[in-house]
Amino acid sequence: MPLVRIDALGTAVDRLDALGRAVHDAWVETMGAPPDDRFQVLVGHDGTTSTVRYDDYLGVHRDDGVVYIAITMRSGRPPAQKKALYRRIAQLAHEYAGTEPRNVFITVTENAPIDWSFGYGAAQYVDDAPAR
C-alpha cells in the first residue's frame, strides 16, 4: 500500500516506468514499506485524445514536463514523514526520469484500514485471515 496514479503528458513507457520507480523507491525509503508493496497506475497522455492542464499556481512555473502523482494511503503518518516523501519523489523523478522537480505535483488522499481490499474480496487490514 499505497495506491499510486501517475499522469504525465507525452510520456513514453520508459519515462512512466522511471517515474513509477521513483515514487516506489521514495516510498520504501521514507515510509519504511516492504519492497513488494507496489500498486501503481501509470498513464501517459498524448495531448490530443487526452491531456493534462496546469498553470503557475503558487509561483511554481510548470511546463509540458509536468507530472501529477496521486497517492492514496492509510492515514496516520506525521507531516515530517510526508514532506520527506515529497522531497524524495521530486529528487528521484529528476534522477530517474529527468523530470524537473518544479514539475512534480503530488497529492495525498488518506483513508482508514477498512477502505482496502487487496484481493479475494477480503478486507485484509481488518480481517483475521484473508478469504480465499
Side-chain angles (χ1 to χ4, degrees), residues 22 26 30 48 60 64-65 118 123-124 126:
T30 63
T48 303
V60 179
D64 283 350
F118 292 92
Q124 284 87 351
V126 295

Side-chain angles (χ1 to χ4, degrees), residues 6-24:
I6 299 174
D7 288 87
L9 184 61
T11 301
V13 172
D14 290 347
R15 181 166 180 247
L16 282 172
D17 181 61
L19 291 166
R21 283 186 298 110
V23 172
H24 180 72

Side-chain angles (χ1 to χ4, degrees), residues 7-9 15 52 54 62-68 103-105:
D7 288 87
L9 184 61
R15 181 166 180 247
V52 298
Y54 55 87
R62 296 167 193 87
D63 58 33
D64 283 350
V66 69
V67 174
Y68 292 105
N103 276 326
V104 178
F105 182 102

Side-chain angles (χ1 to χ4, degrees), residues 7 15 19-20 30-31 33 37 40 45 49 53 58 62 65 67 69 74 77 83 85 91 96 98 104 116 123 130-131:
D7 288 87
R15 181 166 180 247
L19 291 166
T30 63
M31 298 294 178
D37 187 5
Q40 299 180 335
H45 299 272
T49 59
R53 300 279 188 243
L58 296 177
R62 296 167 193 87
V67 174
I69 301 170
R74 289 185 294 162
R77 291 178 177 84
K83 289 168 79 173
L85 174 67
Q91 290 167 347
Y96 294 2
V104 178
W116 295 88

